[in-house]
C-alpha cells in the first residue's frame, strides 16, 4: 500500500509557522517531509494528549454517520502523520538528512558496515598481551557495554517532543550545552570520521599491493607500483564512489561492505585454525622487562578492544535517514536493524579474536591476522584463497570509507549552505568530496603509522561510545536522583572517561616505545 506523504512544519523567527516547500535537492530528490514523534515522553504524557485525542468515541457518538466517517478518516491520517516537528529547512540539502526513505534493512547494512572492519583483525594482538581470561572478559564487557549505549542513542534520537537529533554533535549540545557540547563531541567524532578514513586508505592501499603480489607472483614486472602509488589508486576509487549523493544512496555499498567484512573475517580465522600452529607457540601474556612497560602494554591492548567498537558516532545519522511518525517512530526499525547487525558483529569478533590467538598465540604480528597469514602461511594456503581474502578487505575498506566520510561531507555542505542559503550544486558537492579524499591521502602519506595506533585511537574516541551516551541519558531523560538508573549511568560514564585517559596513555607509550615504526602490514 502506498504511504501518504508526511507533513512537517518549520519554525521561522518572527513569522507564523508555514509548510515546508518542496525543494529539489542536488541529487534530484525532494526534500524530506517526515513527521516525527517523541519517543522520550512518558506514558502519562502520551495518554494526556495525542494529535487525535479529541476524536474520541464519546465525541463521535452524537455526530451523524457522514461526518463521523470524515472525522474517523482524519483521525487515521493524523495518527499516520504524527506530531508536527520543527525542522531546519537546510536539512533538506544535506547528505545525511536529504533522503528519509530508510528502513530496518538499511539500518542493519549501515551498522554492520560501520561496526566491523579492519580493526577486528588486530583483536588477537590485544589477546597476546591480555591472555585468554582477561582477553575474553574485556571483549565481552566491551561488547555489552557498547550495546547498552547504542540503545541509549537510539532512544535519545527523539527524546524531546517535536525535535530530532540527527547528528551526534546536536545531541551533545542538547545534553551538555551549546558550547560545551561542541567542545566535547566535535573533536572525537571528527577524529573518528577523518582518522578512520585515513586509516582505511592506508589499509586498503597496502592490501591492494599485497593482493597484486599474490596474484602476480614471480611474473610481476621489475617496476611495480610503490606503496604510496597504491594509496593513490585506492583514494581515487574512494573518490569515485563518494559521488553518491546521500547516506541512503550508499545502502547498497554498505551491504557490500557488510557481506565482505563477515566473509573475510570468517575466512581469516578459519584459514588460521586449519593450518598447523607455528612452533614454540605460547599462550602466556607477553612479558616485558619492567612492570611499567607491562602495565602500559595491557592498557594499549584494552584500547585496541575499545577501538573495535567505533561506530557509535554514526548511529544518530543512520537513524536520521528514516521516516518517523506518531504511529511508527524511527527508533523501532532502527533498533531492529541494530540488533541484527550486532548479532553478526559478535559472530565475527569473538571467533576472530579467539581463533586468531589460538592459532598464533604470542607470536601474533603487530599487524594482526592478515600479517600473520602472510608471514606464516604464504606457502601453505592456496594463492586463490589468500588473494580472495585480501580482495574482500579492499572491497570492505572502499565501502567503509563512504559511511565514515559522510559526516565530513555533511559538515562541508552545512557550512556552504548556511552561508549561501542554497543547496550545493553537483560541482561544489563533488569538489568537497575530492578535497576530503586527497586531504586524507596526504595525511596518510605523512603519517603512515596511523593505522597501527589502534590503542591510541581507541582511547581518544572511547567517550563517544562508552561515556557520553550515559551522561546524555541522565541529563536529558532526568531519571530520579539517587535511583539505580541514575547511579548506573553516572558510574558507567565516569568509568568510560577514566578508561579513555588510561588507554590513551597506553597508546602513546606504545607509539613512542615502538619509535613510530609500526605498520598494519609488514610485507616482505
Amino acid at each position: 500500500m502506498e504511504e501518504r506523504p508526511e507533513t512537517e512544519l518549520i519554525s521561522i523567527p518572527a513569522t507564523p509557522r508555514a509548510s515546508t516547500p518542496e525543494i529539489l535537492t542536488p541529487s534530484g530528490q525532494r526534500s524530506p517531509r517526515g513527521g516525527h514523534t517523541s519517543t522520550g515522553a512518558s506514558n502519562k504524557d502520551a495518554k494526556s494528549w495525542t494529535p487525535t485525542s479529541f476524536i474520541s468515541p464519546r465525541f463521535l457518538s452524537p455526530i451523524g454517520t457522514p461526518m463521523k466517517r470524515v472525522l474517523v478518516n482524519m483521525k487515521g491520517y493524523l495518527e499516520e502523520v504524527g506530531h508536527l516537528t520543527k525542522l531546519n529547512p537546510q536539512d533538506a540539502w544535506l547528505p545525511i538528512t536529504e533522503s528519509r526513505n530508510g528502513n530496518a534493512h538499511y539500518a542493519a547494512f549501515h551498522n554492520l558496515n560501520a561496526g566491523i572492519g579492519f580493526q577486528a583483525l588486530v583483536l588477537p594482538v590485544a589477546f597476546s598481551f591480555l591472555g585468554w581470561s582477561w582477553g575474553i572478559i574485556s571483549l565481552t564487557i566491551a561488547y555489552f557495554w557498547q550495546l547498552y549505549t547504542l540503545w541509549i542513542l537510539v532512544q535519545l534520537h527523539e527524546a524531546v517532543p517535536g525535535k530530532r537529533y540527527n547528528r551526534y554533535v546536536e545531541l551533545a549540545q542538547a545534553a551538555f550545552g551549546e558550547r560545551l557540547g561542541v567542545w566535547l563531541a566535535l573533536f572525537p567524532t571528527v577524529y573518528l570520521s577523518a582518522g578512520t578514513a585515513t586509516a582505511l586508505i592506508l589499509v586498503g592501499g597496502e592490501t591492494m599491493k599485497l593482493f597484486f603480489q599474490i596474484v602476480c607472483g614471480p611474473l610481476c614486472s621489475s617496476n611495480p607500483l610503490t606503496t604510496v602509488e597504491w594509496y593513490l589508486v585506492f583514494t581515487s576509487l574512494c573518490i569515485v564512489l563518494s559521488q553518491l549523493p546521500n547516506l541512503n544512496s550508499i545502502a547498497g555499498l554498505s551491504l557490500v561492505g557488510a557481506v565482505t567484512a563477515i566473509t573475510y573475517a570468517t575466512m581469516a580465522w578459519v584459514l588460521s585454525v586449519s593450518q598447523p600452529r607455528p612452533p614454540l607457540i605460547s599462550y602466556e601474556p607477553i612479558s616485558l622487562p619492567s612492570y611499567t612497560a607491562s602495565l602500559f602494554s595491557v592498557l594499549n591492548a584494552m584500547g585496541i578492544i575499545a577501538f573495535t567498537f567505533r561506530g557509535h558516532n554514526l548511529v544518530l545519522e543512520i537513524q536520521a535517514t528514516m521516516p518517523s511518525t506518531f504511529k511508527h517512530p524511527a527508533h523501532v526499525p532502527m533498533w531492529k536493524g541494530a540488533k541484527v547487525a550486532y548479532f553478526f558483529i559478535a559472530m565475527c569478533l569473538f571467533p576472530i579474536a579467539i581463533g586468531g590467538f589460538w592459532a598464533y598465540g604470542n607470536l601474533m604480528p603487530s599487524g594482526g591476522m592478515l600479517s600473520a597469514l602472510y608471514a606464516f602461511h604464504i606457502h601453505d594456503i592456496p594463492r586463490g584463497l589468500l588473494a580472495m581474502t585480501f580482495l574482500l578487505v579492499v572491497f570492505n575498506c572502499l565501502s567503509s570509507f563512504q559511511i565514515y566520510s559522510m559526516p565530513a561531507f555533511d559538515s562541508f555542505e552545512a557550512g556552504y549552505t548556511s552561508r549561501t542559503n542554497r543547496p550545493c550544486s553537483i560541482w561544489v558537492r563533488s569538489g568537497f568530496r575530492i578535497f576530503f579524499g586527497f586531504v586524507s591521502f596526504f595525511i596518510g602519506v605523512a603519517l603512515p603509522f596511523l593505522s597501527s595506533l589502534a590503542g591510541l585511537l581507541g582511547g581518544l574516541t572511547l567517550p563517544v561510545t562508552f561515556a557520553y551516551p550515559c551522561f546524555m541519558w541522565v541529563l536529558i531523560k532526568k531519571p530520579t536522583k539517587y535511583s539505580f538508573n541514575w547511579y548506573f549511568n553516572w558510574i558507567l560514564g565516569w568509568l568510560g572517561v577514566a578508561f579513555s585517559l588510561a588507554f590513551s596513555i597506553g597508546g602513546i607509550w606504545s607509539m613512542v616505545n615502538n619509535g613510530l615504526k609500526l605498520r598494519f602490514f609488514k610485507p616482505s
Side-chain angles (χ1 to χ4, degrees), residues 115-236:
I116 186 171
F118 70 91
Q119 77 281 3
L121 299 174
V122 295
L123 277 176
V125 179
F127 273 52
S128 65
F129 289 97
L130 298 173
W132 279 119
S133 299
W134 283 110
I136 294 175
I137 290 173
S138 300
L139 183 60
T140 304
I141 291 175
Y143 176 80
F144 285 104
W145 189 347
Q146 62 84 34
L147 199 61
Y148 171 67
T149 55
L150 173 71
W151 177 83
I152 286 178
L153 291 175
V154 171
Q155 297 300 315
L156 291 182
H157 178 79
E158 296 174 278
V160 177
K163 172 70 176 175
R164 292 185 74 175
Y165 297 110
N166 297 316
R167 295 159 185 86
Y168 196 99
V169 176
E170 292 177 9
L171 184 61
Q173 288 179 300
F176 304 120
E178 292 290 330
R179 291 188 177 181
L180 184 59
V182 171
W183 280 104
L184 290 177
L186 188 61
F187 170 73
T189 53
V190 170
Y191 191 65
L192 265 174
S193 295
T196 302
T198 303
L200 287 167
I201 288 176
L202 300 180
V203 175
E206 291 177 351
T207 309
M208 290 181 74
K209 180 181 178 180
L210 290 180
F211 172 76
F212 181 77
Q213 290 177 352
I214 294 171
V215 172
C216 187
L219 302 177
C220 289
S221 63
S222 57
N223 295 315
L225 294 179
T226 65
T227 303
V228 173
E229 289 171 336
W230 280 113
Y231 292 163
L232 184 59
V233 171
F234 184 84
T235 303
S236 300

Side-chain angles (χ1 to χ4, degrees), residues 86 195 266 268 300 317 373 461 479 507:
K86 300 176 183 178
T266 303
N300 183 60
E317 286 80 350
L373 283 173
T461 58

Side-chain angles (χ1 to χ4, degrees), residues 47 55 99 158 192 282 289 294 429 471:
K47 292 179 180 179
I55 310 177
S99 171
E158 296 174 278
L192 265 174
S282 172
S294 298
R429 174 171 280 183
F471 294 142

Side-chain angles (χ1 to χ4, degrees), residues 239-413:
I239 290 174
V240 171
L241 291 175
S242 70
Q243 301 310 309
L244 292 170
N246 53 59
L247 192 54
N248 263 343
S249 66
I250 66 168
L253 281 178
S254 289
L255 175 59
V256 172
V259 172
T260 53
I262 293 171
T263 305
Y264 77 66
T266 303
M267 290 180 66
W269 72 263
V270 168
L271 290 175
S272 296
V273 301
S274 64
Q275 300 297 320
R277 285 178 287 181
L280 304 178
I281 190 174
S282 172
Y283 298 111
E284 293 296 323
I286 295 176
S287 59
L288 295 175
S290 65
Y291 173 80
T292 303
S294 298
L295 176 62
F296 285 143
S297 296
V298 168
L299 292 177
N300 183 60
M302 296 179 74
I304 292 174
I305 292 177
F307 180 60
T308 304
F309 304 104
R310 76 202 195 291
H312 282 45
N313 62 309
L314 296 169
V315 171
L316 295 172
E317 286 80 350
I318 294 171
Q319 193 168 347
T321 65
M322 300 180 181
S324 185
T325 68
F326 181 78
K327 196 173 182 180
H328 302 288
H331 72 85
V332 175
M334 178 64 186
W335 184 237
K336 286 181 181 178
K339 286 190 292 185
V340 172
Y342 277 85
F343 170 78
F344 284 105
I345 288 172
M347 294 299 99
C348 292
L349 297 184
F350 284 90
I352 202 169
I354 296 171
F357 185 56
W358 180 87
Y360 305 109
N362 59 1
L363 300 179
M364 170 64 64
S366 61
M369 289 291 286
L370 294 188
S371 292
L373 283 173
Y374 194 89
F376 293 109
H377 304 301
I378 185 64
H379 301 297
D380 303 328
I381 299 175
R383 278 201 311 169
L385 278 178
L386 202 58
M388 183 183 296
T389 304
F390 283 82
L391 185 61
L392 291 172
V393 174
V394 173
F395 288 154
N396 174 254
C397 290
L398 286 170
S399 302
S400 296
F401 182 90
Q402 308 309 317
I403 193 168
Y404 271 94
S405 301
M406 198 59 71
F409 301 157
D410 190 82
S411 298
F412 288 148
E413 296 188 30

